[in-house]
Each structure stands twice: as C-alpha cells, then as structure tokens.
Amino acid sequence: MNKYITNGIILMSAAMLCLSCQQNAVTKDEESIYDKTDAYVLDMMDSLDIIGLNYCVLIDGKLMHKKAFGLANYEHEVPMTQDHLFAVASMSKLFSSMALHKLLKDNNRNVNETVSEFLPERKDLPVSWTASSLKSLLSHSSGIPDQIDYQIYLAPDSEDVVIEALQNKPFSSAPGETNKYNATGFLLIRMIIEELAGQDFESYMQENYFDQLNLSKANYGGFKKVVPHRVKSYRMVGEHLEMFPLNYSSPMYAAAGLNINMEELVVWTQAVLDGKIISKEELTPIWKPVVLNNGKPGYFGLGWHTYELGNGISMTGHGGAGISVIRHYYKENSKETVTVILLTNGARNWLKSPDDVNMGIANFFMPGVLD
C-alpha cells in the first residue's frame, strides 16, 4: 500500500480516536452532573420524606434527563414510574393562559380589555367585577372577592353558585394594589375562553391542544374521577399521613383539574418554548411581572408566576397544590435556558418547598439560581 495512503489512514484513525475520546469525556461529564442531580433529589426525598416523584431537566428546550423515584401509591407500595399521571392542580393555569393568549391573538383582542367587553351578555356578574381587565385577572391583581376566602373551594356545583355567594362581598384590595392569588379570577377566565372559542372549555382544550399535540393521556377531573395510572396524592394532617383529596369540578378547570404524565407535560412545555402556540417574542410580555400601582413589579406575569432572581436570571412557571412545580429559568440577552419540572404526590415534611428543590436542581445547570 502507498505509504502516503497508509499514513493518511493512521492519521484519520488517530483523529477519530481523539474525537471518540472527546465525546466520551463529554458523555461522562454529562453523566456526572445528572448523577449529582439524582443524588440531590434522593437526598431531598429522604430529608423531606417525599412519597414519590418524577423530575426532568430541559436544557435550551431539549429534554436531557428524567427520573422517577419512590411510590405512586403508598399503601399498596406501587413503584413510581414515568408513565404515572399526576393531578397537577394550579399548574393547569399555564395551559389555560397559553390557550387564552392564542385566542386573543386569533380574535384580535388584548389583555387590557375588561370582562364586560368580553362577556357583554353576562348580566349576572357584578358590575364591579366586569370592570376588571383581563390583565388584572391573569396577574392576580384584580382584588375581586376570592372564593377560597369564603370556603368555596375548587369543586363548586356550578359557576352560578360562586357568583351568587360572592356578588355582595367586598374587594380584598383596590385593583392593581397587590398580588393576591385569586381563584375567582380564573373562573372568569374560563368564561372568556369559552366565549372566544365558541365552545366549552374542556372540549376546546381537548381538540386544540391534547389532540393536536398527541397528549393522549391528559384529561381534566378531580380525585373522585377514575383516572388510570394516576398517582394517589398525600399530605400530613397533624401527625398523620392522609390522602390529599385534590377535588375539582368543570367550572374551575381553567384554574385546576388537569391530570397529565411527565412525557406529555414535556411535550406541551416544548411546544411553548419552541413558539408553536404563540411566538417566542409574544411570550416576553406574558413572562414579564405586571407593575403594581406603587410602580414596583409584582410576582405574576399574565398567568405565569414570574420574577427576577438576581444575577441576571429570571424565573417563570407555576406550582401545583404545594407539592409540584414547573420552573423555566433564563437570562436576559442570552439563549441559555434551563427548565425543571418536579412532580410529587406529597411528603411528610416540607421543610423545603418544591420550589426550593426545583431551584436546587436548576442551580446545577445555571449557577447563580440560588445566590
């Protein structure tokens, strides 16, 4: 064989070996950081006595790692898997928010319009409520009476029950004065979605999101509904671990009631991050904290819990029932992003919140999140 050809083959083989070594080194580094996050999560499970969980990490929108630990059903010792569905509670608001913003865009409407402009035929609503802007409802700054304050939880028999019970109740604050988590606001948001869509909320979400994104397992329903492969949720009551009855009814599905597994939640999250629902540019004002009357930013954007952490890092997302949370971390003027989804079915001791654990995971990939 020609010596130049022979030398070329040797050099090419050496280059390929070098490239292979570099790739193996990267793989080992990646494995190392995911081993560390797994160890951290297992340590948190042990110290907080979490029953079971799924977690995943997306880097720049790409799924890089996911794991399931613990039990999906404590009393029957059913191991947790990545196929299990979770009742994600208020994380449902993110789905509703994105659906609403898409409808607003399609109908040439905007968040500064008032409830009365969206629902002119609803004469049963108090005038003080209908003067509220959609922006104030999404940012929990409207001040309208919150049904939870009056022990009307998230499974009312009908929207009429909520309206009749609260129509003479005072506002908790002046509009725009403060952020106060408000379930009644999302009752109105569901009505507005139905008005813009021309159909009921559940059917609209099924046809336009679950079916379109092939989310075949996602569905709405409270703990009384039989949902195959859904985890059982738990909480501590006094010194005893009890079932957590996450109960919801259709009037409140824009606020809570979604059941979904990690795989399908990741698919939906990627659709958001990839601009498949609305453009990436249109996400910017949605993720920007709404400015309150005092000129300071609140801690809600337009349906998303969002604020600046410092170090140029911002965070947006939502929690669910105090046991699960999705957070998207990003830097201004940078394409670098980290998304961490943490779904649990409860714990005996939330000395650290799911938010804290989520941020602890994110800090491995975006140092400064915890500073």
Side-chain angles (χ1 to χ4, degrees):
M1 181 180 292
N2 184 296
K3 69 177 182 179
Y4 296 108
I5 296 176
T6 303
N7 290 339
I9 292 172
I10 293 172
L11 288 171
M12 183 180 294
S13 298
M16 291 177 67
L17 178 62
C18 181
L19 177 61
S20 175
C21 290
Q22 291 175 347
Q23 290 174 335
N24 287 337
V26 170
T27 301
K28 287 180 180 178
D29 287 343
E30 289 176 346
E31 287 177 353
S32 175
I33 195 168
Y34 296 126
D35 287 345
K36 289 178 181 179
T37 57
D38 283 350
Y40 169 77
V41 169
L42 287 169
D43 182 58
M44 290 296 99
M45 285 192 72
D46 183 60
S47 61
L48 305 178
D49 210 348
I50 296 172
I51 308 304
L53 63 79
N54 274 206
Y55 93 97
C56 77
V57 178
L58 289 79
I59 305 296
D60 301 333
K62 181 180 179 181
L63 178 63
M64 301 300 293
H65 185 66
K66 61 179 180 178
K67 277 292 182 70
F69 296 117
L71 298 174
N73 184 299
Y74 178 78
E75 52 266 49
H76 294 295
E77 298 184 345
V78 178
M80 182 71 78
T81 72
Q82 293 171 8
D83 294 328
H84 277 103
L85 280 74
F86 289 77
V88 296
S90 285
M91 287 168 64
S92 310
K93 292 181 175 67
L94 299 184
F95 282 68
S96 307
S97 170
M98 295 309 298
L100 175 60
H101 287 295
K102 179 66 164 58
L103 283 166
L104 291 174
K105 178 182 177 181
D106 291 347
N107 288 276
N108 197 27
R109 308 294 293 269
N110 68 78
V111 296
N112 295 311
E113 294 181 64
T114 63
V115 174
S116 63
E117 291 175 280
F118 287 105
L119 303 173
E121 305 301 320
R122 294 299 300 251
K123 304 305 180 184
D124 56 331
L125 296 173
V127 173
S128 57
W129 296 15
T130 62
S132 302
S133 69
L134 184 51
K135 181 178 181 179
S136 72
L137 299 181
L138 287 165
S139 61
H140 298 275
S141 61
S142 68
I144 65 173
D146 181 18
Q147 61 199 76
I148 304 299
D149 290 344
Y150 296 94
Q151 291 75 54
I152 303 172
Y153 299 106
L154 299 179
D157 292 335
S158 69
E159 62 188 39
D160 294 339
V161 169
V162 179
I163 296 167
E164 290 171 8
L166 300 182
Q167 59 184 342
N168 295 318
K169 302 299 183 185
F171 273 40
S172 61
S173 64
E177 183 177 299
T178 187
N179 289 125
K180 182 181 182 299
Y181 202 71
N182 193 302
T184 314
F186 269 78
L187 176 78
L188 297 174
I189 286 170
R190 193 211 86 240
M191 295 181 194
I192 293 170
I193 288 174
E194 292 184 339
E195 179 68 21
L196 292 173
Q199 65 185 121
D200 70 272
F201 176 81
E202 198 171 351
S203 296
Y204 178 75
M205 297 301 292
Q206 181 69 51
E207 294 172 13
N208 291 273
Y209 292 94
F210 301 168
D211 291 347
Q212 292 297 317
L213 295 172
N214 295 316
L215 310 183
S216 61
K217 304 292 180 59
N219 66 86
Y220 287 96
F223 85 103
K224 294 181 181 180
K225 180 180 179 180
V226 177
V227 177
H229 304 297
R230 182 173 62 184
V231 303
K232 183 172 283 189
S233 296
Y234 302 90
R235 64 179 176 179
M236 288 297 290
V237 178
E239 298 181 354
H240 302 285
L241 184 69
E242 295 186 358
M243 184 180 71
F244 195 171
L246 296 170
N247 198 19
Y248 312 107
S249 63
S250 57
M252 302 310 303
Y253 283 166
L258 178 65
N259 303 291
I260 194 168
N261 64 20
M262 180 62 84
E263 179 183 1
E264 294 190 352
L265 186 52
V266 168
V267 169
W268 178 86
T269 300
Q270 290 176 322
V272 172
L273 298 180
D274 292 343
K276 293 181 178 178
I277 300 176
I278 60 174
S279 72
K280 295 180 182 180
E281 291 74 23
E282 289 166 326
L283 284 172
T284 300
I286 294 170
W287 288 351
K288 186 176 181 180
V290 169
V291 176
L292 301 176
N293 295 344
N294 60 10
K296 297 180 180 179
Y299 55 85
F300 267 96
L302 300 177
W304 293 63
H305 188 199
T306 181
Y307 49 88
E308 295 180 2
L309 294 174
N311 297 316
I313 300 174
S314 294
M315 180 175 76
T316 191
H318 217 290
I323 60 176
S324 296
V325 64
I326 177 173
R327 295 295 186 204
H328 178 67
Y329 304 85
Y330 59 98
K331 295 180 179 180
E332 190 173 356
N333 301 320
S334 171
K335 294 183 178 180
E336 178 185 0
T337 70
V338 176
T339 310
V340 177
I341 305 174
L342 176 68
L343 304 177
T344 89
N345 59 345
R348 285 189 173 86
N349 180 12
W350 285 118
L351 281 177
K352 288 189 175 182
S353 71
D355 266 331
D356 295 329
V357 178
N358 191 294
M359 292 173 68
I361 297 168
N363 196 64
F364 283 94
F365 305 93
M366 188 176 283
V369 165
L370 289 179
D371 291 349

